Amino acid sequence: MIKKLNCFWRFLSALLFLSVCVTAVAQSTKAEKTENAASQDEKIKVLLVDGQNNHGVWPKTSEMMRNYLLETKMFSVNIARTAPKGTDENFSPNFSDYDVVLSNYNGADWPETTQKNFEKFIEDGGGLVVVHAADNAFPEWHAYNLMIGVGGWGNRNAQSGPYLYFDDSNKLVRNDAEGQGGSHGPQHEFMMTCRAPEHPIMKGIPQAWLHAQDELYDRLRGPAQNIHVLATAYSDKEKNGTGRNEPMVMVIEHGNGRVFHTTLGHEVYSQECVGFITLLQRGTEWAATGKVTLPVPKDFPSKAKTSSRKFAVEDGK
Ligand code: ZN
């Protein structure tokens, strides 16, 4: 009898132990799932658009920018890619699934419905990040030109809107003179000047810093409405420039949407600049949320010296 009872208790305690284990495992799996779901939900959703660009390096720069955003742990990034040539009638991303669109696109017009959907997305409060040649795109698309503020090439001229720059006395000028929109001299390292130290994107960034080798876009022109120039660079006449302080970093309000626009980022080495990386990360956060919490890193370039991080990813892209 005692033996039987012992056996019963052993069986019962084994059963109890097993049920505790099963519950614990189930709970921990559930907790993990909830945690993952929460952290995914909390991330800022970025849609990177590309597929056509007069810069052959675009697949690599897209990969670089995707990685720069991912490394902050703040963003999730999906890519929407057009066909390599012409208007891609199937290009119709669901913009409203995202907080912010990052454009590395400079190519044929998007289908009209896609353009309308994109306009609605920004007007309703979506964010947009425009990098380098993305401001060459869509010269005829009026709403897009309102979003980017100023752009270049694509037969942009006085009808596109004024030239926008700071003159020698550091006054912001809108100049309606005739002439083409967009040009640049030979690539070089150049000094960046902060024009809005109190703006969330610029807070903590030095008053001046040396940017890595890049094209210095000048003579950009466009509607230039609701625009705030955050940083400029002097376009030296000795480098075929304008002798003006040209906008390099700017923000634009369009409807309820926020746009971060940088003309920097021509090549891999340009985008390896810590100044470029920092502005891209902070500008994307701002375009999505209106705030900036990402810090300015210790290796940010100084006035005396550029600072770059060699881009390398494990899959060798
Ligand atoms: Zn370029």
Side-chain angles (χ1 to χ4, degrees), residues 48-53 58 79-93 95 105-117 138 141:
L48 196 165
V49 293
D50 64 12
Q52 297 179 25
N53 205 308
W58 69 262
I79 295 181
R81 193 157 283 175
T82 66
K85 270 187 190 157
T87 294
D88 182 349
E89 296 300 338
N90 297 318
F91 184 69
S92 181
F95 297 114
Y105 182 87
N106 177 22
D109 286 346
W110 294 342
E112 209 179 315
T113 319
T114 306
Q115 293 194 344
K116 291 286 167 229
N117 291 343
F138 310 130
W141 181 6

Side-chain angles (χ1 to χ4, degrees), residues 46-304:
V46 183
L47 182 69
L48 196 165
V49 293
D50 64 12
Q52 297 179 25
N53 205 308
N54 60 331
H55 294 59
V57 73
W58 69 262
K60 174 123 188 197
T61 51
S62 279
E63 188 58 17
M64 292 172 79
M65 291 191 278
R66 190 175 78 88
N67 274 273
Y68 293 152
L69 295 179
L70 292 180
E71 73 188 18
T72 65
K73 313 275 186 220
M74 176 178 276
F75 307 96
S76 65
V77 184
N78 283 352
I79 295 181
R81 193 157 283 175
T82 66
K85 270 187 190 157
T87 294
D88 182 349
E89 296 300 338
N90 297 318
F91 184 69
S92 181
N94 203 357
F95 297 114
S96 58
D97 286 348
Y98 299 89
D99 300 304
V100 54
V101 170
L102 161 56
S103 178
N104 192 26
Y105 182 87
N106 177 22
D109 286 346
W110 294 342
E112 209 179 315
T113 319
T114 306
Q115 293 194 344
K116 291 286 167 229
N117 291 343
F118 186 67
E119 288 176 24
K120 185 170 179 347
F121 166 72
I122 301 294
E123 279 159 16
D124 288 352
L128 171 64
V129 175
V130 177
V131 176
H132 195 61
D135 72 15
N136 303 183
F138 310 130
E140 307 296 332
W141 181 6
H142 182 61
Y144 183 76
N145 284 280
L146 287 168
M147 292 174 203
I148 66 174
V150 287
W153 296 273
N155 295 322
R156 283 174 169 88
N157 56 31
Q159 274 70 54
S160 313
Y163 292 117
L164 184 76
Y165 55 89
F166 283 79
D167 66 12
D168 288 342
S169 58
N170 292 321
K171 200 173 128 263
L172 184 68
V173 176
R174 284 174 165 79
N175 182 338
D176 290 315
E178 292 291 326
Q180 65 163 45
S183 67
H184 61 78
Q187 296 174 47
H188 59 293
E189 293 176 357
F190 49 85
M191 193 67 73
M192 298 281 294
T193 301
C194 176
R195 299 281 174 178
E198 293 307 314
H199 190 279
I201 297 172
M202 303 309 284
K203 251 194 174 150
I205 283 180
Q207 195 275 325
W209 72 95
L210 195 57
H211 178 60
Q213 181 174 327
D214 206 336
E215 288 173 345
L216 196 164
Y217 275 9
D218 61 35
R219 297 183 179 89
L220 297 185
R221 62 189 316 165
Q225 293 171 16
N226 308 316
I227 191 166
H228 189 183
V229 178
L230 305 186
T232 59
Y234 182 70
S235 171
D236 201 326
K237 283 189 172 169
E238 284 185 13
K239 302 261 188 206
N240 295 331
T242 53
R244 300 166 177 167
N245 298 290
E246 300 284 352
M248 298 286 114
V249 182
M250 55 208 120
V251 289
I252 301 100
E253 281 173 30
H254 182 78
N256 292 315
R258 280 176 299 269
V259 182
F260 170 78
H261 174 180
T262 180
T263 63
L264 305 174
H266 170 71
E267 248 291 353
V268 166
Y269 42 76
S270 319
Q271 296 203 359
E272 285 176 338
C273 171
V274 179
F276 175 87
I277 297 169
T278 305
L279 287 167
L280 179 80
Q281 293 167 333
R282 288 165 62 108
T284 307
E285 183 185 4
W286 180 84
T289 68
K291 292 178 193 147
V292 175
T293 59
L294 289 167
V296 178
K298 288 204 165 58
D299 59 343
F300 196 90
S302 69
K303 205 171 170 177

